[in-house]
């Protein structure tokens, strides 16, 4: 048995999709959390047979695929209940219904019993509820690529939703075009640390005196485009402004994002998925008549398959066509920039008790916000 390869030299060269672990025929690759709380592949040299399959499915080691001409739309589900329960305009559950009508299965990010974010499968509308709404956490895909392959081999329709690097990992894992597979990637700001999220959950549980059972990053109760967070812990629901939630502030201050996200190659409208979905930021400029505080979805169709599906589902949507320049929000132009101080942020997270670390972060952000207000004056 020969020596094994190293899958990455620097942390920024691994997106953590887990395709390498799922493709390994001997179980030699496992995903292990580092001190920042992100999962990275580790190889058990005793099990490795040097087949190099792990390297061939890496989204960051393979050349970018050519893309066809795309079509751009804004859309809102006609059924208000779908819109309310979704982070943006409710297009994802309408697309899921298309698959359910064909006895298919849907994969997306959900909370498990420990409030960890994992990809799960849904076979009906009831199970789909867990997959709705944005989760600002990198999800675990352990075993999911294999399960998707199994469902496709059964002749099932499959809808898979994930970040662009996760969907790229799935396509490389499958290694072929699948007529009954619909791939949806997201307009992604960058993925935050799962370890940091778990520490935040434990912090809120201690503060609330009971187990957390739900968390909504984009609650629409105030008709403010989802700028409210709400969570249930200890049997009681609480809500706060999205930008008043300390975990969300760490994310939107760009400190808690995975290293590879700062050099993401997928921050462009040109993708090799079928659909790209996201919030339609800037809707008030493009179609102010559609802005009601309840969210509008940005929909980009990349393939003939997507355009065919769109023709069959658009009757359930209020929609309008757009030009490319009208949909170019920041994360479709360039990757999130790495902030100064990220190294110190993650170092303090690794060495301090979480409550003290959080308190220092809140103090730092309050001081920074005060300084900015003084400068404006």
């Amino acid at each position: 048995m020969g020596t094994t390869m190293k899958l990455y030299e620097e942390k920024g060269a691994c997106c953590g999709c887990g395709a390498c672990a799922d493709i390994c025929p001997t179980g030699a690759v496992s995903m292990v959390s580092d001190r920042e709380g992100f999962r990275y592949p580790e190889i058990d040299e005793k099990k490795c047979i040097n087949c190099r399959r792990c390297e061939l499915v890496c989204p960051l080691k393979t050349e970018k695929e050519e893309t066809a001409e795309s079509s751009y739309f804004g859309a809102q589900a006609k059924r208000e209940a779908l819109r309310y329960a979704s982070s943006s305009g409710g297009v994802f559950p309408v697309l899921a219904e298309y698959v359910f009508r064909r006895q298919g299965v849907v994969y997306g990010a959900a909370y498990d019993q420990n409030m960890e974010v994992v990809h799960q499968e849904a076979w009906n509308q009831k199970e789909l509820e867990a997959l709705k709404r944005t989760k600002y956490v990198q999800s675990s895909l352990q075993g999911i690529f294999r399960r998707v392959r199994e469902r496709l081999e059964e002749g099932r329709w499959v809808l898979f939703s994930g970040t662009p690097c996760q969907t790229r990992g799935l396509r490389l894992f499958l290694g072929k075009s699948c007529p009954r597979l619909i791939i949806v990637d997201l307009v992604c700001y960058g993925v935050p640390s799962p370890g940091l999220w778990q520490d935040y959950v434990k912090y809120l549980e201690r503060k609330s005196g009971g187990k957390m059972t739900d968390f909504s990053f984009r609650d629409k109760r105030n008709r403010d485009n989802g700028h409210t967070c709400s969570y249930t812990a200890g049997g009681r629901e609480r809500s706060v402004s999205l930008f008043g939630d300390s975990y969300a502030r760490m994310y939107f201050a760009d400190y808690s994002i995975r290293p590879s996200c700062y050099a993401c190659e997928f921050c462009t409208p040109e993708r090799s998925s079928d659909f790209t979905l996201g919030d339609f930021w800037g809707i008030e400029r493009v179609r102010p008549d559609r802005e009601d505080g309840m969210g509008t979805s940005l929909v980009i169709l990349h393939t003939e398959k997507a355009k065919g599906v769109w023709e069959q589902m658009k009757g359930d949507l209020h929609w309008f066509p757009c030009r490319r320049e009208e949909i170019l929000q920041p994360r479709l132009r360039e990757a999130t920039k790495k902030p100064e101080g990220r190294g110190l942020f993650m170092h303090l997270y690794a060495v301090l008790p979480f409550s003290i670390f959080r308190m220092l972060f809140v103090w730092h952000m309050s001081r920074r916000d005060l300084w900015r207000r003084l400068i404006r004056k």
Side-chain angles (χ1 to χ4, degrees), residues 97-157:
E97 287 180 351
Y98 175 91
V99 173
F100 291 149
R101 287 195 296 270
R102 288 156 179 77
Q103 288 74 54
V105 61
V106 177
Y107 292 88
Y111 298 117
D112 69 5
Q113 65 274 15
N114 297 315
M115 291 300 294
E116 293 185 29
V117 178
V118 299
H119 259 61
Q120 293 181 358
E121 63 180 19
W123 290 92
N124 51 53
Q125 288 291 346
K126 182 178 180 181
E127 294 176 350
L128 186 69
E129 290 300 316
L131 276 57
K132 295 179 184 177
R133 300 181 300 171
T134 297
K135 285 88 177 174
Y136 290 136
V137 189
Q138 184 172 31
S139 62
S140 169
L141 286 164
Q142 183 175 357
I144 292 297
F145 292 163
R146 294 182 183 182
R147 201 174 307 169
V148 168
R149 182 174 60 190
E150 290 170 2
R151 299 307 182 200
L152 291 169
E153 289 174 348
E154 293 169 358
R156 301 278 187 181
W157 278 85

Side-chain angles (χ1 to χ4, degrees), residues 1-41:
M1 183 179 297
T3 59
T4 58
M5 73 183 78
K6 189 171 184 181
L7 293 178
Y8 61 91
E9 294 296 331
E10 299 178 353
K11 293 288 180 72
C14 173
C15 65
C17 71
C20 53
D22 261 19
I23 200 70
C24 181
T26 64
V29 183
S30 56
M31 302 298 291
V32 179
S33 296
D34 71 349
R35 68 199 300 268
E36 294 184 353
F38 292 106
R39 291 178 285 265
Y40 290 87

Side-chain angles (χ1 to χ4, degrees), residues 10 97 110 127 165 190 217 220 224 227 231 303 312 365 369:
E10 299 178 353
E97 287 180 351
E127 294 176 350
C165 53
F217 283 99
K220 293 184 178 180
D224 58 357
H227 287 172
Y231 67 94
T303 62
Q312 296 181 64
M365 295 301 289
D369 291 346

Side-chain angles (χ1 to χ4, degrees), residues 261-282:
C261 297
Y262 298 117
C264 179
E265 65 180 56
F266 302 104
C267 292
T268 170
E270 287 69 49
R271 310 274 181 92
S272 51
S273 57
D274 296 304
F275 289 82
T276 292
L277 299 181
D279 292 311
F280 200 126
W281 298 117

